[in-house]
Amino acid sequence: MTTLYRCITEDDTLQFCHRVSEALSKGWSLHGNAAMAFDPVKGVMRMAQPVTKEVAVDYHPELKLGQQ
């Protein structure tokens, strides 16, 4: 088994919640707390949520994490 890691990032909008919810529905697990930071260039809050997933494939750099 291989543990995959990804960090979902998005402006603080409903879209962020949908992206995290979709990952959870595909078997990903929350890995720590979400983080929030202000983006002064865009003038918006940005969100980040790390997630992990155990898979039965060998890791390689070309692996499409969001499709696992």
Side-chain angles (χ1 to χ4, degrees):
M1 292 296 276
T2 300
T3 301
L4 301 180
Y5 171 91
R6 61 190 271 227
C7 187
I8 301 168
T9 61
E10 184 78 41
D11 290 349
D12 185 17
T13 64
L14 187 59
Q15 179 64 24
F16 173 76
C17 297
H18 283 292
R19 290 184 63 205
V20 173
S21 295
E22 178 183 30
L24 295 174
S25 76
K26 292 182 176 181
W28 290 82
S29 298
L30 298 177
H31 184 76
N33 296 324
M36 179 184 285
F38 183 71
D39 180 344
V41 174
K42 292 176 71 177
V44 298
M45 294 300 290
R46 297 276 299 164
M47 300 294 297
Q49 175 63 63
V51 292
T52 60
K53 183 177 184 180
E54 295 288 329
V55 295
V57 299
D58 290 332
Y59 173 78
H60 56 86
E62 294 79 29
L63 195 61
K64 304 289 187 199
L65 299 177
Q67 296 175 1
Q68 293 300 313

